[in-house]
């Protein structure tokens, strides 16, 4: 077993009002529908448990399931950190969404860091992390396109 990491940082300006962007980003069912590989998000208070479909990684297949503690500052930021009571989960995500007013609408930024424990040797790290980075990039691209469509901007 070794730990592998990937992350993403991006910022975009959306034409939609902050309240509409906030409503979309805090709707777990919508997020699950518009995010590739995500099959469901179960909400239990401030805990969101994400379930994903199977993703092939160098001969191994993983179907990540991870629980995030969500902290909401309405229409300003969403912080998410892996639930410390779930050390059994092999995937963890840490990050933040930031929303700010912009003259053209709403500026949205995301920072996220993903770690995944996989039954692969550490020597495979460069190849595995390249695959992970590609999956994260694809997920972000499709999520962004779907969010814009949901908000009527595409």
């Amino acid at each position: 077993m070794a730990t592998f990491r990937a992350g993403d940082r991006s910022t975009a300006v959306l034409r939609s009002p902050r309240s509409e962007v906030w409503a979309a980003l805090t709707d777990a069912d919508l997020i699950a529908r518009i995010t590739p590989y995500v099959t469901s998000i179960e909400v239990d208070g401030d805990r969101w448990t994400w379930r994903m479909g199977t993703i092939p990684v160098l001969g191994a297949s993983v179907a990540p399931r991870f629980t995030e503690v969500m902290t909401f500052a309405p229409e300003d930021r969403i912080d998410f950190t892996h639930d410390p009571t779930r050390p059994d989960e092999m995937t963890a995500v840490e990050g933040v969404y930031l929303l700010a007013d912009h003259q053209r609408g709403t500026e949205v930024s995301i920072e996220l860091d993903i770690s995944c424990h996989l039954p692969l040797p550490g020597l495979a790290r460069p190849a595995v992390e390249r695959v992970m980075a590609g999956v994260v990039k694809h997920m972000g691209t499709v999520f962004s396109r779907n969010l814009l469509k949901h908000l009527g901007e595409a």
Side-chain angles (χ1 to χ4, degrees):
M1 286 291 255
T3 301
F4 302 91
R5 301 181 192 292
D8 189 28
R9 312 269 180 286
S10 62
T11 300
V13 175
L14 309 180
R15 293 190 315 264
S16 299
R18 206 174 187 173
S19 59
E20 290 179 20
V21 176
W22 178 262
L25 294 177
T26 57
D27 182 338
D29 291 333
L30 173 65
I31 296 298
R33 282 194 315 273
I34 68 174
T35 307
Y37 302 111
V38 176
T39 59
S40 68
I41 301 172
E42 178 185 318
V43 177
D44 183 12
D46 65 348
R47 267 52 176 184
W48 286 24
T49 301
W50 297 63
R51 287 183 174 76
M52 299 179 68
T54 302
I55 301 170
V57 181
L58 296 183
S61 290
V62 295
R65 178 180 168 271
F66 53 94
T67 304
E68 300 298 303
V69 179
M70 308 294 288
T71 305
F72 300 100
E75 296 191 21
D76 185 45
R77 70 184 290 141
I78 303 167
D79 291 281
F80 44 98
T81 186
H82 188 253
D83 185 345
T85 68
R86 300 304 312 259
D88 57 306
E89 295 178 340
M90 296 175 60
T91 301
V93 182
E94 311 283 332
V96 61
Y97 271 107
L98 299 171
L99 281 72
D101 290 329
H102 188 279
Q103 62 188 8
R104 293 185 321 228
T106 304
E107 182 178 88
V108 182
S109 298
I110 185 171
E111 296 181 14
L112 62 87
D113 294 299
I114 303 160
S115 60
C116 191
H117 304 292
L118 296 173
L120 296 168
L123 289 172
R125 183 164 286 107
V128 171
E129 290 183 348
R130 264 194 310 278
V131 170
M132 288 176 65
V135 169
V136 170
K137 181 178 174 76
H138 172 72
M139 290 176 73
T141 299
V142 175
F143 170 81
S144 297
R145 183 174 59 233
N146 289 340
L147 178 62
L148 290 173
K149 187 174 181 181
H150 169 78
L151 293 169
E153 294 191 31

